[in-house]
Amino acid sequence: MNVLQKVLKKGLCTGCGLCESCFGKAKLAMQHNHNGYLRPFIKQELSQPELRLLKQICPALNCKMKTLTENHYHPAIGNYQGFMLGWAKDNYIRKNSSTGGALSAVLLYLIEQQVVDGIIHVGADPDNPYENKVCVSRSYDEIAANAGSRYMPSAPLVNIDEIIRQEGKYAFVGRPCDVRALRAYMEEKNIIEEKIVVTLAFLCGGVPSIKGTYKMLSQMKLTKEEVIRVKYRGNGWPGKVQAFTKDSQIHEMSYNESWGRYLGPTSQLICKLCFDGVGESADLVFGDAWNCNEKGYPDFNEADGRNMIIVRTKLGDQIIRESAKQEYLYLESAQSNPDIFMNMQPSQTSRRKTALERILGMRFCLSSYPRVDWQYLRKICMRKYWFQLNFRSLAGTIKRVFTTPK
Ligand SMILES: Cc1cc2nc3c(=O)[nH]c(=O)nc-3n(C[C@H](O)[C@H](O)[C@H](O)COP(=O)(O)OP(=O)(O)OC[C@H]3O[C@@H](n4cnc5c(N)ncnc54)[C@H](O)[C@@H]3O)c2cc1C
């Protein structure tokens, strides 16, 4: 069994699609598997040099974070240049995006001020409500149309080689693991370094199976066939899921119910074990700056959208400042204290605190595990004696490895 087959068998694939882009559709092609996750279907064996390249670039195999800045460090968010709260100045973008539209506002700045020629990101496939499609957006309308989180599998790197072979400079938007894979690939093949000038990620709590969407629709008393479009977020913060049907009806479900009961629990195995939901490899990371209730837990009552923004690099810092200066982005203050992250994102924080148990659990059950930097793990665990084990988390990881569909 080669390394790609092992990744698939053990359920470690993230579904990013980079392998299809690198080795070609004739050898492997991304498709939903029977559990509703995007996976490469192998048509032809990969050669030894191809397998060697895969080991370096596949985010399931290479989990080493690149240190992008040494400026500041916080155990919950990692290395950072800046941490701030804000939202898009354009009201339509703010309201219709997932959170506060800060990510799309920065994309607008990058396009309209000609910092890049195109944005590589994911949008809904117009021909199939249960698929995502990689788009290259070049205008306000295209960026606005692709805003909003799509809580279903996506493969943002599936045709990255083809896109960057075209003229121009690009920005890339993806999950933390997509950006990590892209960075590793950029390093391996330095030809593309000047093509993708900036990477943007969003905080990621996991990629749900497409079966989560089916279950959610069925709870809304809808069949797959009658739905023509699903919008998971937007029209407020957190907004509601909206399912648009052929007879022009719109059916809704709250964010709390949709994510909490139907989507979140179907996240793929690698996401349940991941400790890089905060996107340590991206220039900029955007997330929900949830208001917290008196117990310190995020409050999902409707409000005006507000993002948290983690700036990792000098370039990211320059982009955020210019986006604010040129009225694309509103920032509450130039710098916020990252301690507030722990209240706003308790589950992301606990993922980092239990990173050691996640890695050990994977190693125990799967014998192979992503390559990690132990010094890095030690830093993020946030405990006095870093090797002191949290046995509950270890047991939880082991249970997840055995019970999560692959
Ligand atoms: C699977 C998933 C899990 C998430 N988990 C968390 C979490 O745990 N905590 C948290 O704070 N935030 C999470 N988010 C991110 C959050 O929903 C917002 O995307 C983020 O706060 C940015 O909001 P925004 O309004 O600035 O983005 P928008 O302006 O709405 O822009 C969103 C961008 O994300 C891209 N995108 C949307 N869906 C996908 C997808 N499936 N794959 C790749 N790219 C996509 C779009 O192309 C668009 O460019 C998650 C998002 C996804 C898709």
Side-chain angles (χ1 to χ4, degrees), residues 98-99 101 103-104 121-122 148-151 154 203 205 287-288 307 345:
S98 257
T99 303
L103 200 162
S104 292
H121 61 163
V122 158
S149 294
R150 301 195 38 79
Y151 295 132
S154 64
L203 291 187
D288 287 288
N307 287 93
Q345 294 282 340

Side-chain angles (χ1 to χ4, degrees), residues 97-104 107 121-123 132 146-152 154 156 173-175 178 202-208 233 259 286-288 290 307 345 348:
S97 294
S98 257
T99 303
L103 200 162
S104 292
L107 300 182
H121 61 163
V122 158
N132 282 317
N146 293 322
S149 294
R150 301 195 38 79
Y151 295 132
M152 55 185 278
S154 64
V173 182
R175 297 163 298 186
D178 300 322
F202 42 81
L203 291 187
C204 183
V207 177
R233 293 276 299 264
W259 177 262
F286 299 80
D288 287 288
W290 299 118
N307 287 93
Q345 294 282 340
Q348 290 288 355

